[in-house]
Amino acid sequence: MKTLFNLYINMKILIILPYIPYPLDSGGNQATFFMIDQIRKVHQVSLCFDICGRGVVKHVDSNKSLLVEQLKEKWPDVTFYSFQGQRKFQKDIPKLGTYGCILKALEESFHRKYIRKVKHSEEKRSNGELMIAPSPLFEKPRELDEGFLHFIYEISRKGFDCVQIEMYEYLHLVYLLPKTVKRIFIHHEIRFVRNYNTLNLFHTDNLNDIILYHQLKAQEIGALNEYDSIVNLSDYDKKTLSKYIEPDKIHVSPAGVCFSHTENKFKMADEFVFVGSGNHQPNMDGLLWFTKEILPNLRKLTTNIKIHIVGKWNEAQQEVFSHNPELIFEGFIEDLTSFICGKISIVPVRIGSGIRIKILEAVNAYSPIITTVKGVEGIKFENNNDCIITDSPVDFAKFMFDLLQNKEKQKSLCDKAHMLLDKEFSNDNLVAKRLEIYE
């Protein structure tokens, strides 16, 4: 009997990633891991990573190296190319001498401290009473190691049928790829949309920020036009990008995670949960907005509030929210489905594009959802039917309080959202859409 995987011609595919998609402690890691795990069953997959730390003389990052080894155990049929900082490409280092290398190291150290200081200042910027989270719009673009670029140039010419690049950080690597192979970019998030959200949200009057926004947007569109195919995660993103890119080059292939047929059926929720790490700007901004604008309104309605924050938040990030005793930082939870079942998921996201994996995770766990228009963007959910959608802080707080008391409404939202999940985001449908792009 033929299966889904028998329908496609075997191809050699190289996937270049800025992050190792393991452990599964973020939406990006889960989405990337899930797709690679399925693609490798059909095609000959090779993965390429930079496993070095930063610095003048490149050294292997032991943590990254360990994660790659763990992936090799899970995917024995996948070929791994790990850049380990080959010195032969760093021709300037021997010429510096010992004294020169020390000065160069000091310069990098001072630069890192300066960047940390700038980021700290950005965290303290305020717009009225609302704190502004650090934005990628104001960050200096990361310069990729010259040796790594040579590594990519060589590896991409090893006879692959297709080279796939993921994430905005590696978007511009397309200029190094051979034009004789199919070049695909997985656009998890349209960065100029995220930057526009930031500028529009905080009403910046800094003209340099406006110029920088348009410069970055032009660079992003220019690089995207070099690819043979672009994969967006939602129809909404494709519609946005089609204004600048030939629509025939753009495909829609939603992100997914390994949705298990959970044994966790609906449970009455009496607490709340927010899923997302503090290093992702939309999550930081969302939690800042929630604590500054929504939580004070919720406190007027009830004092019995518990909000579990799931994901990596370092001590400095947690300190920002230390005056909110209702927040409980849980860290990484391995069995997320069981943890969020029996809790109401809040997704107060105001920035970004693509699909919020946290929404899909909540639906799979039978967790009713309260979110914003931006939070549910790209998913065909209807307000008050599949979830509750509002951009009003006052209404958001009221809906949290009301839903906490209403078991029937909680169950109705969960059941209807789960029906849509089964229809639009089943594992077979997600994989089939992605595999068609390689043909």
Side-chain angles (χ1 to χ4, degrees):
M1 180 178 177
K2 286 191 175 182
T3 67
L4 170 69
F5 302 115
N6 298 131
L7 304 177
Y8 301 94
I9 299 173
N10 185 276
M11 299 175 65
K12 292 181 65 178
I13 300 175
L14 173 65
I15 301 176
I16 305 174
L17 298 167
Y19 311 113
I20 299 169
Y22 197 77
L24 307 181
D25 56 359
S26 69
N29 276 4
Q30 290 179 55
T32 303
F33 181 95
F34 169 76
M35 279 302 176
I36 294 174
D37 196 43
Q38 302 304 312
I39 293 168
R40 71 185 181 89
K41 298 174 184 177
V42 182
H43 299 299
Q44 299 177 52
V45 172
S46 297
L47 298 182
C48 181
F49 306 108
D50 178 358
I51 63 170
C52 292
R54 299 185 184 183
V56 179
V57 180
K58 306 296 286 185
H59 296 288
V60 173
D61 184 317
S62 59
N63 290 329
K64 291 181 180 180
S65 182
L66 177 61
L67 293 177
V68 170
E69 292 304 314
Q70 291 174 349
L71 275 183
K72 286 181 179 180
E73 292 181 8
K74 292 182 175 294
W75 295 335
D77 53 350
V78 172
T79 300
F80 289 80
Y81 294 100
S82 298
F83 174 66
Q84 301 182 33
Q86 288 90 333
R87 292 176 60 96
K88 64 180 181 179
F89 298 127
Q90 301 178 12
K91 298 177 181 178
D92 59 317
I93 293 177
K95 297 177 183 178
L96 288 175
T98 303
Y99 183 64
C101 283
I102 292 173
L103 290 178
K104 186 68 176 176
L106 287 173
E107 179 188 15
E108 288 202 352
S109 176
F110 290 142
H111 177 71
R112 290 193 297 269
K113 289 177 182 177
Y114 171 75
I115 291 299
R116 286 197 295 268
K117 194 172 184 65
V118 169
K119 286 186 176 182
H120 181 70
S121 298
E122 289 294 342
E123 290 173 0
K124 297 299 183 182
R125 276 178 69 179
S126 62
N127 183 7
E129 292 297 314
L130 184 64
M131 288 182 69
I132 298 179
S135 166
L137 192 63
F138 310 110
E139 293 178 3
K140 180 181 177 181
R142 177 184 172 187
E143 183 176 340
L144 297 177
D145 179 81
E146 182 72 13
F148 176 64
L149 297 181
H150 278 275
F151 185 73
I152 293 297
Y153 184 89
E154 292 183 357
I155 296 300
S156 64
R157 285 161 173 77
K158 287 186 173 290
F160 294 100
D161 300 304
C162 170
V163 178
Q164 174 176 306
I165 294 177
E166 303 202 22
M167 307 291 181
Y168 175 81
E169 290 87 338
Y170 278 4
L171 169 67
H172 296 88
L173 290 180
V174 66
Y175 296 111
L176 302 180
L177 304 182
K179 295 185 178 181
T180 54
V181 303
K182 186 171 185 177
R183 298 161 300 169
I184 297 177
F185 184 70
I186 310 298
H187 216 354
H188 290 258
E189 176 187 68
I190 303 176
R191 184 56 62 94
F192 69 77
V193 170
R194 174 167 153 181
N195 288 342
Y196 179 80
N197 293 158
T198 301
L199 287 176
N200 190 54
L201 197 59
F202 301 120
H203 307 291
T204 178
D205 56 359
N206 187 324
L207 299 183
N208 278 310
D209 288 348
I210 295 173
I211 292 173
L212 179 58
Y213 161 74
H214 286 287
Q215 286 177 334
L216 294 174
K217 179 180 178 181
Q219 290 174 12
E220 183 174 356
I221 293 170
L224 287 170
N225 270 307
E226 294 293 320
Y227 286 90
D228 300 300
S229 296
I230 301 161
V231 178
N232 284 139
L233 304 188
S234 70
D235 292 312
Y236 187 91
D237 278 3
K238 177 177 179 177
K239 182 178 179 181
T240 299
L241 207 57
S242 293
K243 299 174 185 177
Y244 311 96
I245 308 287
E246 177 60 43
D248 289 344
K249 292 176 63 171
I250 306 173
H251 307 268
V252 176
S253 175
V257 295
C258 189
F259 296 121
S260 57
H261 296 288
T262 176
E263 296 300 322
N264 293 313
K265 297 303 181 182
F266 170 78
K267 298 177 184 176
M268 175 71 174
D270 56 2
E271 297 178 347
F272 300 96
V273 63
F274 173 86
V275 177
S277 70
N279 292 329
H280 189 46
Q281 186 220 358
N283 291 332
M284 173 62 84
D285 171 77
L287 197 56
L288 286 170
W289 180 59
F290 176 81
T291 55
K292 290 289 183 179
E293 300 292 319
I294 299 172
L295 190 52
N297 287 291
L298 184 59
R299 288 172 180 147
K300 296 175 183 177
L301 302 173
T302 179
T303 56
N304 185 23
I305 309 167
K306 284 187 178 180
I307 305 166
H308 301 269
I309 313 299
V310 176
K312 290 183 178 180
W313 294 75
N314 62 39
E315 291 184 6
Q317 291 165 341
Q318 292 185 39
E319 181 63 26
V320 173
F321 304 98
S322 59
H323 57 289
N324 298 286
E326 299 90 347
L327 272 56
I328 305 168
F329 287 89
E330 302 285 358
F332 171 61
I333 300 291
E334 188 164 352
D335 187 359
L336 184 61
T337 300
S338 296
F339 184 81
I340 64 179
C341 182
K343 298 178 179 65
I344 297 172
S345 291
I346 57 170
V347 188
V349 172
R350 306 187 298 168
I351 296 170
S353 75
I355 287 179
R356 260 54 60 187
I357 295 295
K358 56 175 66 71
I359 294 277
L360 304 182
E361 291 173 329
V363 177
N364 186 56
Y366 288 89
S367 169
I369 302 163
I370 305 175
T371 184
T372 58
V373 173
K374 174 61 68 174
V376 79
E377 187 178 88
I379 304 175
K380 300 174 183 178
F381 281 175
E382 295 181 6
N383 182 33
N384 210 34
N385 185 65
D386 308 292
C387 64
I388 295 174
I389 307 170
T390 180
D391 286 336
S392 163
V394 174
D395 289 344
F396 203 113
K398 183 178 183 300
F399 288 136
M400 287 179 68
F401 176 73
D402 291 345
L403 191 57
L404 206 60
Q405 323 299 321
N406 193 334
K407 179 179 180 179
E408 289 73 23
K409 185 63 175 178
Q410 288 185 25
K411 188 174 188 306
S412 174
L413 292 174
C414 289
D415 289 342
K416 290 177 180 177
H418 215 275
M419 288 174 61
L420 191 143
L421 182 75
D422 289 340
K423 178 182 177 182
E424 300 288 337
F425 293 91
S426 71
N427 289 349
D428 285 348
N429 285 344
L430 294 177
V431 175
K433 286 183 178 180
R434 182 62 60 88
L435 290 177
E436 287 173 0
I437 297 167
Y438 299 115
E439 298 301 304

